[in-house]
Amino acid sequence: MKIYKEIEGLQSFVAEQRAAGKRIGFVPTMGALHAGHLSLVARALQSCDLCVVSVFVNPTQFNNPRDLETYPRDLEADACLLEAAGATALFAPEVTTIYPEPDTRVFDVGAVAEVMEGAYRPGHFNGVMQVVSRLFDIVRPDCAFFGEKDFQQIAVIRAMARQIASPVEIIACPIVREEDGLARSSRNLLLTPEGRAAAPSIYRILSESRGWVETLSPQELIARVTEEINAVPTLRVEYFDIVDTDSLQSIHSWVDSPRPHGCITVYCGEVRLIDNIAYH
Ligand code: PAF
């Protein structure tokens, strides 16, 4: 696997590959890689001839400085995992390489970016759009692969790609879970033993809630899921909403959307976890 810290080296490698007729897959990450990321690499290698992975903890998408400080980082371990997964190249730039000067761009992709994470983490999606658009410009992939754990992020990135007329095809890949159901996340490394034991209740209760659609309205289901999760020690729901899969706007009745989807954020002690579930 080739490792690049600078844009020029990566770009000439990718240009050579493209000239040889290869299709370039791209997996952007913030490192602390786990099975979820490796499933994206596997998926990229299925659809493309090679897979470039970026590891870059993007400061502009953290609305909480403590979250940026404590975000887990281990580039050496990430490189070993990527090598074993068959990734072709790792791009691990410094902050000044991605942002030689402050990125002042403001993206406005409308309502998909304003609800849920957009409302609770002001500036977060603007930072995601800044870095993803910059990475797309640098890597110029044919396809980019994103995990559905960040359900809203995929909708926001698709909207951004349409808005800037990016030719990159955005491919959404299923959530990878631990055996006990907890969605794989780099943040799971930050859980205390007590938090780790409690966290699988999030997906257990979400899964059970699929059986309540026949008898409860969306609002009643939201209230019951919230109540059951909050009853688990160390868990506290920040928000849980049921939205239409495409517009990401709240639904008030099950007939409001052909594809209702539940999106949740839960504090497990100090650690903020997100998950989501389809109700169709
Ligand atoms: O999902 C992530 O890890 C990040 O938001 C991304 C897409 C790599 C941008 O920094």
Side-chain angles (χ1 to χ4, degrees):
M1 182 179 71
K2 302 194 174 291
I3 302 183
Y4 298 99
K5 291 205 145 261
E6 304 299 335
I7 294 174
E8 294 71 21
L10 175 83
Q11 279 189 326
S12 55
F13 170 71
V14 172
E16 252 169 48
Q17 300 298 316
R18 191 174 300 106
K22 307 275 197 228
R23 216 171 130 72
I24 319 287
F26 177 46
V27 177
T29 80
M30 297 208 299
L33 301 181
H34 51 70
H37 298 109
L38 302 180
S39 76
L40 302 180
V41 173
R43 179 72 172 75
L45 290 169
Q46 268 169 18
S47 334
C48 299
D49 298 303
L50 57 95
C51 173
V52 176
V53 180
S54 62
V55 169
F56 178 66
V57 182
N58 171 36
T60 72
Q61 71 187 76
F62 285 82
N63 55 319
N64 172 349
R66 169 125 186 90
D67 196 17
L68 173 60
E69 233 169 73
T70 57
Y71 201 84
R73 296 161 210 242
D74 189 345
L75 188 58
E76 234 173 84
D78 289 344
C80 288
L81 287 170
L82 290 173
E83 174 104 58
T88 322
L90 164 59
F91 179 47
E94 297 296 332
V95 173
T96 48
T97 303
I98 295 295
Y99 302 117
E101 46 204 61
D103 192 336
T104 53
R105 291 173 300 160
V106 178
F107 289 84
D108 181 0
V109 293
V112 283
E114 284 159 14
V115 295
M116 300 190 291
E117 292 298 277
Y120 281 85
R121 299 183 70 189
H124 166 67
F125 282 133
N126 198 58
V128 169
M129 291 187 272
Q130 286 175 339
V131 77
V132 172
S133 59
R134 180 102 176 100
L135 289 167
F136 282 4
D137 279 347
I138 293 170
V139 180
R140 298 182 184 273
D142 294 286
C143 306
F145 298 80
F146 296 89
E148 281 182 337
K149 181 175 74 67
D150 295 292
F151 192 77
Q152 186 176 8
Q153 174 171 273
I154 296 178
V156 168
I157 290 172
R158 282 192 205 283
M160 183 262 315
R162 278 194 301 274
Q163 194 173 79
I164 63 173
S166 167
V168 179
E169 186 185 345
I170 310 296
I171 299 183
C173 304
I175 299 179
V176 176
R177 297 185 180 279
E178 304 280 357
E179 269 183 22
D180 56 18
L182 176 63
R184 297 268 186 158
S185 164
S186 306
R187 289 199 162 85
N188 294 353
L189 291 171
L190 304 173
L191 293 169
T192 60
E194 195 197 7
R196 179 63 190 80
S201 297
I202 301 168
Y203 184 59
R204 178 179 54 73
I205 295 166
L206 284 180
S207 302
E208 280 171 25
S209 75
R210 295 176 78 156
W212 307 339
V213 169
E214 297 300 315
T215 48
L216 300 183
S217 70
Q219 299 319 310
E220 289 166 340
L221 189 144
I222 288 170
R224 181 155 169 205
V225 164
T226 304
E227 191 185 319
E228 293 207 5
I229 293 180
N230 283 341
V232 178
T234 83
L235 299 186
R236 185 174 53 79
V237 174
E238 184 177 43
Y239 69 79
F240 175 46
D241 202 1
I242 301 180
V243 299
D244 172 66
T245 290
D246 296 319
S247 69
L248 295 191
Q249 303 310 296
S250 302
I251 64 161
H252 302 286
S253 154
W254 295 111
V255 296
D256 287 350
S257 166
R259 295 191 300 147
H261 206 94
C263 296
I264 196 163
T265 298
V266 180
Y267 273 96
C268 183
E270 299 283 297
V271 184
R272 189 174 185 273
L273 300 176
I274 63 175
D275 205 339
N276 62 82
I277 193 156
Y279 288 108
H280 52 91

